Amino acid sequence: MYSVETFNLTKFYSNGIKAVDKINLQINEGEIYGLLGPNGAGKTTTIKMLTTALKPTEGTAKVAGFDIIKESMMVRRNVGIVPQDLTADEDLTGIENLLMVSRFYNVPYGRAKESIDRLVKLVDLKDAINKPVGQYSGGMRRRLELIMGLVHNPKVLFLDEPTLGLDVQTRSLMWEYIRNIQQLQNITIILTSHYLEEVDALSNRLSIINKGKIVVTGTPEELKKSIGGDIVMLTFKYGKEALQAADILKSYKASRITELTIKIKSSDFSKDSQIILSILKQSNLEPIRIQVEKPSLDTVFLEYVGRSLPEEEGDSDSRKMMLMMRRLRR
Amino acid sequence: MSGLIPLTMREIKKWYRNPIFFVVGLLQPLFWIALFGSAFDITRAVPQYSFYILQGAPDYITFIIGGIATTTALFTGMFAGMNIIWDRRLGPLSRFLASPIRRSSIVMSKVLGATVRIMVQVLILFVAALLLPSGLILPKGFNIIDVFIIALTVLLIGILFASLFSAIAIRITRQETIMGIVNLVNLPLMFASYALFPKNLMAPWIGDIAQYNPVSWSAVIIRTLVINGKLSGAQWSTVLNNLIYLISTTILVVLITIILAEKEIRN
């Protein structure tokens, strides 16, 4: 039996946007499963449906053995969520937040206290746990959010962009916590991210999602292998040169990715470069920049989604507002 | 309803831990009594009619304390709605919505939290009014049953207003919107009522409207009790009638709030 299985899961918003379009996922028990995609790909909408915060337009899913539409209360009982937003109450202490959440799940006080103690140690929050959350640093708040989703020993844990906005050091620390949690609890973890390294470092398997559809599924290694060689990007001075080069290099699966840049594939560019450049030279074309990408999730992404992930996440207006209000409140 | 108790505890903790919010909440009723109760004494110009205008009250503060208690409930009740929007803006609501608790317990915890605040504020209001020179003067026959009915009235009006403003906040995502709505409804609720003026001083049309206003019901119940203490038969029927209006309206508004919360609340 799968820990999470979706059946043509679909969500259309009232403005006609197909946020999630007939997604079929099969996630095994005890797996860390990555959902990778650019902003607006439908990752968060998928998570929201699987955690019963949103009703699907069509299709359904089973989470921890329960139907997300017919048995939504049972689903909520058996899953833990670490949403993108920070959800802890800033006026309460860490421990008060954790105890409050465990009461939502009817965990008896003694057992709650026990599992909270264990979780707090796991993420090194012991010194701060009796302080108001308003005094926490960004990394500490993320760690608290992580264990707030675990106080009731869920079978499935959903992590929605768990390291969004954290510095590199804190991020790798979070990865370690997530791995430890997975090993200690034997829990299924579903992780969304647009950080490729994160999905590469953590997940056993992943799906790349773009425009509400699953583009490809596999282990990170399988996906890297599926690329079959280096991806080379050639940039020219003029758009018409790029157009011409793309035409000439058809046998290398050339395609234009921006006005001035084309992408080609080569099984081993260190061998092929001489030939490719001489072919171009014959037509008086000379790239002003050559960029070679060895197979990585980045190239996988480029291959299947067509453009690289943006470096910065675009803050939506409401998110900006939220962050601003948080500052105002201090 | 596994979420109702922990969520209500949270509301109360947030209240007494925030020193400014706490102190302001306690000072506000004192300001009312000190400023409105003294400055607006409507009998000063015509002292010979004061007994008639004040419906038998020995002084203006005794007459108006029921109205001030009710207005305090009105103003504190609107924070219940504001707090829902804060929770939505700041993030905790998404955690609550993902938990296996009833949606209505999220909203009702705000209502209960606000009601506890209202009860404490009104208690302080009465103690302050009793201590104030020429303040609240209780009649001879005033007894424990009167105290009980006053407490019940404040409880009901607190739940009523907190539910009303929470229900308004269920689908609203912006602070500005609810502020606008609150300002719009507060003025008529306060002034188209018998809270601050007796009916016989009002223009007839507004006096007629005021009898359908819950603010009037609550103010009249408390006023009748603190002026008369031991009630006559006619006074009892006034109190009981108003109490029945108040109880049935409160139940209705709470039910609507619960249904709206279950169906409509989202992030």
Side-chain angles (χ1 to χ4, degrees), chain B residues 165-216:
Chain B
F165 290 117
S166 300
I168 292 172
I170 282 172
R171 283 304 296 269
I172 290 176
T173 53
R174 303 166 73 89
Q175 235 88 13
E176 298 88 330
T177 318
I178 190 142
M179 283 299 271
I181 295 173
V182 160
N183 278 329
L184 189 74
V185 296
N186 269 4
L187 203 71
L189 272 176
M190 218 167 99
F191 288 100
S193 80
Y194 309 142
L196 308 174
F197 305 101
K199 190 181 181 184
N200 47 26
L201 284 193
M202 291 178 170
W205 67 271
I206 204 166
D208 287 343
I209 293 173
Q211 62 183 312
Y212 302 108
N213 184 344
V215 174
S216 301

Side-chain angles (χ1 to χ4, degrees), chain A residues 51-53 73 76-77 81-83 85-89 91-93 96 100-101 103-106 145 148-149 318 321-322 325-326 329, chain B residues 2-3 5-7 9-10 13-14 17-18 86-103 175-176 266-267:
Chain A
T51 55
T52 76
M73 263 308 186
R76 274 188 235 159
R77 265 182 204 293
I81 302 163
V82 181
D85 306 324
L86 299 173
T87 63
D89 189 319
D91 295 334
L92 303 184
T93 65
E96 283 171 332
M100 178 177 74
V101 172
R103 288 195 68 181
F104 293 163
Y105 294 87
N106 289 325
E145 293 293 334
M148 272 170 82
S318 70
M321 176 77 185
M322 198 181 79
M325 304 242 315
R326 242 179 223 150
R329 235 185 142 203
Chain B
S2 57
I5 294 163
L7 283 171
M9 292 304 292
R10 163 178 179 257
K13 274 184 196 157
K14 281 171 81 77
R17 281 213 195 136
N18 184 337
W86 275 116
D87 275 357
R88 181 178 284 125
R89 284 268 170 204
L90 294 173
L93 188 66
S94 57
R95 165 81 53 202
F96 304 153
L97 290 175
S99 302
I101 54 175
R102 297 200 73 93
R103 307 298 212 225
Q175 235 88 13
E176 298 88 330
R266 60 198 64 165
N267 222 350

